């Protein structure tokens, strides 16, 4: 059994790295950081997929609700989200395929 609710992922720019963090019963605590934002974004998706699959014992794939380009545009246009060391939340939706 799984929850069809999005997994909330917090984003912050810290110490020169794009940092993503999630804490969800389906995934446990996840932290990903990288100097290149697109690489960090992709790593979050891979990590969420692996954690959910481990939790369920079945194939799972995390998919962000926003493509990276849309996320990055939103981030640059959001004055609070663009402030260094200030976390903001993005949501990742995931589904389970047999």
């Amino acid at each position: 059994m799984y929850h069809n609710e999005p997994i909330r992922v917090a984003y912050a720019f810290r110490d020169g790295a794009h940092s993503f963090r999630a804490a969800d019963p389906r995934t446990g605590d996840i932290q990903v950081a990288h100097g290149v934002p697109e690489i960090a974004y992709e790593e979050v998706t891979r990590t969420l997929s692996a954690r959910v699959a481990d939790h369920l014992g079945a194939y799972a794939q995390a998919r962000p609700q926003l493509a990276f380009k849309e996320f990055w545009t939103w981030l640059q246009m959001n004055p609070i989200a663009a402030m260094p060391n200030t976390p903001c939340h993005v949501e990742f939706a995931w589904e389970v395929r047999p």
Side-chain angles (χ1 to χ4, degrees), residues 3-97:
H3 301 284
N4 198 17
E5 299 169 10
I7 296 172
R8 295 186 59 80
V9 179
Y11 166 84
F13 184 74
R14 290 193 176 102
D15 302 323
H18 300 272
S19 174
F20 292 89
R21 183 175 182 176
D24 188 282
R26 297 164 285 182
T27 63
D29 192 33
I30 294 173
Q31 279 190 267
V32 173
H34 198 281
V36 178
E38 191 168 13
I39 291 173
Y41 200 75
E42 291 171 2
E43 183 62 27
V44 170
T45 301
R46 283 191 295 273
T47 303
L48 287 173
S49 295
R51 290 283 185 91
V52 172
D54 287 347
H55 178 76
L56 296 173
Y59 175 79
Q61 182 175 357
R63 288 198 271 168
Q65 290 181 336
L66 293 175
F68 173 77
K69 186 175 178 179
E70 293 167 339
F71 164 74
W72 191 247
T73 299
W74 172 83
L75 188 67
Q76 291 177 326
M77 294 178 73
N78 186 325
I80 293 173
M83 293 176 61
N85 300 320
T86 303
C88 64
H89 288 276
V90 292
E91 292 186 350
F92 288 80
W94 56 274
E95 65 184 8
V96 176
R97 296 182 186 167

